[in-house]
Amino acid sequence: MACTTILVGRGASYDGSTIIARNEDDEPGSFNNKKLIIVRPEDQPRTYTSVNGHLTIELPDNPLQYSETPNSFTSAGVWGEAGINEANVAMTATETITSNARVLGADPLVPYTPAIGKPGDANYVPAVAGGIGEEDLVTIVLPYIHTAREGVERLGSLLEEYGTYESNGIGFADSHEVWWIETVGGHHWIARRVPDDCYVVNPNRLGIDEFDFEDAFGEQRDYMCSADLREFMRMHHLDVDYALEGQFDPRDAFGSHSDMDHVYNTPRAWMIERYFNPLDETWEGPDADLTPSSDDIPWCRQPDHKITIEDIDYALAMHYQGTKFDPYGKLGTEATRHLYRPAGINRTCERSIMQIRPYAPQADRAIHWITFAATPFNATVPFFANVDAMPDYVSNTTPEVTLDSYYWASRFLAVLGDSDYSGTAEPIAHYKQTVAALGHQMVFATDEQLARLGGKDTRAAAAREREDEEESLPADVEPMKPADVVKATRNEKTREVLAAANENMAKQLKAQTQTILAQCLQATSVNMKDAFSMADF
């Protein structure tokens, strides 16, 4: 998939949450129909066979429940993409990334190899299963982890055992940490913890640009990697830096620096970091510090202001507004307006923003914000993840096109907005803000309701601004061992409250979406090219 990822450490977010988000973008000309569902433990397979890799894996017998955004029609695989499990661990998988010939030659990818001939033939060669890939990862990792760090460890071990047929980046978050893992060839990998006060932008290229081997093979506070990575690099001469002893840039060694990067990948990093850090660099002009084609745009950095859900929504919907590269703008020329690949693109299937809130009780701290279809035109809406089922409006994406589905309604709205951008931009902006406001209102009201139900005021706890004594970061108001977290999130009364809140949110979302569709249909109808009236004589 061709996607864009943003990761936010708890010290860089507006409320102390960890946040991981990604646009799931399909291939050109393709649109996977998506839904937001809950996978119960009894529905999780114990023996998993992939469609693309033809690989069969035996899975543990103790899965956790989790949310996910799979394809609605699973003939090509599950493609779970993003979710939060009932241990309050979020996962986004995957960001397709790039590599280079040296790495892929040293550790080749592991594609499925079809059989040659038929059994019994003299020249028969049996099929060989491929490795794991994007289709599989949420299904085989998320139900079995209790922390973000465990996510890296489980996925790393699976990569070493089975290999992969594609290069990918994967994000994990719990209430304390955000981790990012990138594959290196077919079986190797590196991972870095996002610094608490930083955010990450990762657009379809290997991103990590700093790595500490001493930590990775020691305390593993901020870095992890496959066990033989140093020997692998030494054997295949993969370190190309003149760096000082102990410093290493994985992007230089394992990544790409192609012409395609400079129109497809680096411009998105430039655009989004320019938005989050307008004061730190000269972004345009002959004296620019960084340009759309810069290869050294930082993987992570501290933002100029703390990042909100709305900031992420805007950043992942960006199409170079205010520059000559905006396809809907009036600056520049027709050539410049279509020079670079935007983050907000027509072929987005879904966009998940997953928020783990340390100031909320374990039972309701996990929120899965969902957007379907092209993000410049569609709203992001919150749903509590620890429920038994998601509302029908977001979970029942049928083969039949219907406005009773948020997915299909979003596809319609995107087409209307794109066809008459100037005529629909204002009402769509109002719609997006209205839905976001209703979402925040729903979350706040539900927190209050659960505080009363539980007999304690969690809002008062949040107002006390408890901090981690060592790092001056928001502290966990309800610290628990992983097993106790799962017990708390399985509380039946709490789940009933969260489910009712989700249903009410879906009802309001549907009403707002029907209204904006009617408004945009009217606007685009008035501005149709075959319009004519007597006043035109």
Side-chain angles (χ1 to χ4, degrees):
M1 294 290 181
C3 309
T4 310
T5 296
I6 293 177
L7 315 170
V8 183
R10 57 184 177 141
S13 73
Y14 71 109
D15 65 345
S17 295
T18 57
I19 306 173
I20 61 175
R22 180 173 58 92
N23 287 355
E24 179 200 347
D25 303 330
D26 211 339
E27 300 298 326
S30 181
F31 302 88
N32 277 331
N33 304 326
K34 306 298 290 189
K35 58 187 177 182
L36 174 62
I37 66 169
I38 296 295
V39 180
R40 303 276 287 166
E42 57 268 27
D43 298 324
Q44 174 72 3
R46 269 48 176 186
T47 300
Y48 174 82
T49 300
S50 63
V51 174
N52 290 290
H54 298 260
L55 175 68
T56 296
I57 300 174
E58 296 300 321
L59 297 176
D61 198 34
N62 57 341
L64 300 174
Q65 176 181 295
Y66 58 102
S67 66
E68 69 169 359
T69 56
N71 290 359
S72 294
F73 320 116
T74 57
S75 60
V78 178
W79 300 85
E81 298 297 330
I84 307 172
N85 70 22
E86 57 187 340
N88 290 329
V89 180
M91 176 181 181
T92 180
T94 68
E95 182 77 30
T96 303
I97 61 174
T98 54
S99 187
N100 62 61
R102 298 181 307 281
V103 171
L104 298 178
D107 183 9
L109 298 175
V110 188
Y112 167 67
T113 304
I116 298 175
K118 297 179 180 179
D121 291 349
N123 63 344
Y124 173 67
V125 178
V128 178
I132 58 177
E134 181 171 355
E135 168 201 346
D136 320 307
L137 297 189
V138 167
T139 303
I140 65 176
V141 175
L142 184 57
Y144 310 104
I145 59 176
H146 295 81
T147 65
R149 187 178 293 264
E150 280 186 18
V152 173
E153 293 168 345
R154 174 166 173 79
L155 179 53
S157 68
L158 291 169
L159 288 167
E160 292 171 7
E161 180 175 0
Y162 298 107
T164 181
Y165 53 81
E166 59 189 7
S167 299
N168 282 314
I170 300 94
F172 296 95
D174 54 37
S175 60
H176 300 286
E177 294 186 321
V178 178
W179 280 86
W180 180 249
I181 179 172
E182 295 182 317
T183 62
V184 179
H187 302 82
H188 292 83
W189 56 274
I190 57 173
R192 183 179 176 187
R193 187 179 71 86
V194 178
D196 290 329
D197 61 350
C198 290
Y199 72 94
V200 168
V201 179
N202 214 97
N204 289 130
R205 65 183 303 207
L206 192 140
I208 297 175
D209 57 5
E210 179 183 318
F211 196 82
D212 184 342
F213 277 111
E214 184 175 345
D215 180 66
F217 287 95
E219 186 180 358
Q220 296 186 340
R221 174 180 169 82
D222 299 306
Y223 301 89
M224 289 189 277
C225 65
S226 44
D228 66 338
L229 186 64
R230 282 188 295 197
E231 291 76 13
F232 168 70
M233 290 175 55
R234 189 177 300 116
M235 177 180 296
H236 296 284
H237 313 287
L238 294 178
D239 189 351
V240 297
D241 287 340
Y242 287 111
L244 299 175
E245 183 69 25
Q247 296 181 349
F248 172 60
D249 185 343
R251 189 189 293 174
D252 282 346
F254 305 142
S256 63
H257 304 281
S258 68
D259 294 337
M260 184 62 70
D261 281 330
H262 298 153
V263 297
Y264 200 83
N265 296 328
T266 57
R268 278 179 283 159
W270 173 84
M271 170 183 62
I272 295 174
E273 293 195 18
R274 175 176 175 263
Y275 172 62
F276 286 137
N277 290 86
L279 306 178
D280 291 355
E281 312 277 358
T282 300
W283 294 97
E284 294 183 272
D287 298 322
D289 300 306
L290 295 170
T291 71
S293 61
S294 294
D295 284 321
D296 58 345
I297 298 172
W299 177 73
C300 70
R301 66 192 304 168
Q302 186 176 25
D304 284 352
H305 63 82
K306 292 193 174 184
I307 295 173
T308 67
I309 298 296
E310 290 70 44
D311 288 331
I312 297 171
D313 176 34
Y314 183 80
L316 288 176
M318 291 186 77
H319 43 85
Y320 304 99
Q321 296 95 311
T323 76
K324 62 184 178 181
F325 311 120
D326 184 358
Y328 300 111
K330 297 181 180 179
L331 301 176
T333 65
E334 185 65 18
T336 63
R337 292 184 206 121
H338 297 277
L339 184 60
Y340 297 137
R341 193 266 208 210
I345 199 169
N346 66 318
R347 48 192 164 90
T348 297
C349 307
E350 59 83 24
R351 193 267 312 283
S352 292
I353 304 173
M354 291 169 289
Q355 178 182 17
I356 312 296
R357 308 175 301 151
Y359 56 86
Q362 296 284 354
D364 67 318
R365 67 174 46 180
I367 302 177
H368 194 143
W369 297 74
I370 189 71
T371 305
F372 290 130
T375 52
F377 308 101
N378 288 294
T380 185
V381 56
F383 292 98
F384 288 103
N386 288 312
V387 293
D388 293 331
M390 286 293 178
D392 192 69
Y393 188 52
V394 295
S395 65
N396 186 23
T397 301
T398 62
E400 296 77 25
V401 178
T402 170
L403 295 184
D404 288 329
S405 159
Y406 184 48
Y407 172 82
W408 287 118
S410 299
R411 286 282 301 276
F412 269 116
L413 183 55
V415 171
L416 291 172
D418 176 82
S419 67
D420 185 6
Y421 185 81
S422 61
T424 61
E426 184 176 353
I428 285 177
H430 178 73
Y431 159 71
K432 294 182 68 170
Q433 184 179 65
T434 298
V435 170
L438 289 170
H440 284 292
Q441 182 180 348
M442 181 274 287
V443 171
F444 182 85
T446 306
D447 283 348
E448 290 289 308
Q449 183 180 358
L450 287 175
R452 293 191 297 272
L453 181 66
K456 60 180 181 178
D457 189 350
T458 57
R459 282 293 161 187
R464 287 195 294 271
E465 297 182 354
R466 295 181 57 202
E467 292 184 344
D468 185 294
E469 292 181 359
E470 290 186 5
E471 302 182 30
S472 297
L473 292 170
D476 193 327
V477 299
E478 195 175 40
M480 290 183 178
K481 296 179 179 179
D484 294 328
V485 172
V486 174
K487 183 178 179 180
T489 60
R490 289 180 176 175
N491 181 283
E492 291 185 8
K493 288 185 178 180
T494 299
R495 287 198 173 189
E496 289 175 3
V497 172
L498 299 180
N502 284 354
E503 288 291 346
N504 186 53
M505 186 71 251
K507 182 178 180 181
Q508 294 182 82
L509 172 65
K510 184 174 183 179
Q512 293 293 331
T513 303
Q514 297 282 24
T515 297
I516 188 61
L517 282 167
Q519 292 174 344
C520 290
L521 181 61
Q522 171 66 17
T524 55
S525 298
V526 168
N527 294 327
M528 289 174 65
K529 291 182 176 62
D530 62 355
F532 200 88
S533 71
M534 294 296 290
D536 292 327
F537 280 102

Coordinates of all heavy atoms in Angstrom, one line a residue, residues 119 426 487 489:
P119 N 1.9 -32.7 -9.5 CA 2.5 -33.9 -8.8 C 2.6 -35.1 -9.7 O 1.6 -35.5 -10.3 CB 1.6 -34.0 -7.6 CG 1.0 -32.7 -7.4 CD 0.8 -32.1 -8.8
E426 N -16.0 25.3 1.7 CA -16.5 25.9 2.9 C -17.4 25.0 3.7 O -17.3 24.7 4.9 CB -17.1 27.2 2.6 CG -17.5 28.0 3.9 CD -18.0 29.4 3.6 OE1 -17.9 29.8 2.5 OE2 -18.5 30.0 4.6
K487 N -8.6 -7.3 32.3 CA -9.7 -7.5 33.1 C -10.6 -6.2 33.2 O -11.8 -6.2 33.2 CB -9.3 -7.9 34.5 CG -10.4 -8.2 35.5 CD -9.8 -8.6 36.8 CE -11.0 -8.9 37.8 NZ -10.4 -9.4 39.2
T489 N -10.8 -3.7 31.0 CA -11.4 -3.4 29.7 C -12.6 -4.3 29.4 O -13.4 -4.0 28.5 CB -10.4 -3.4 28.6 OG1 -9.8 -4.6 28.4 CG2 -9.4 -2.3 28.8

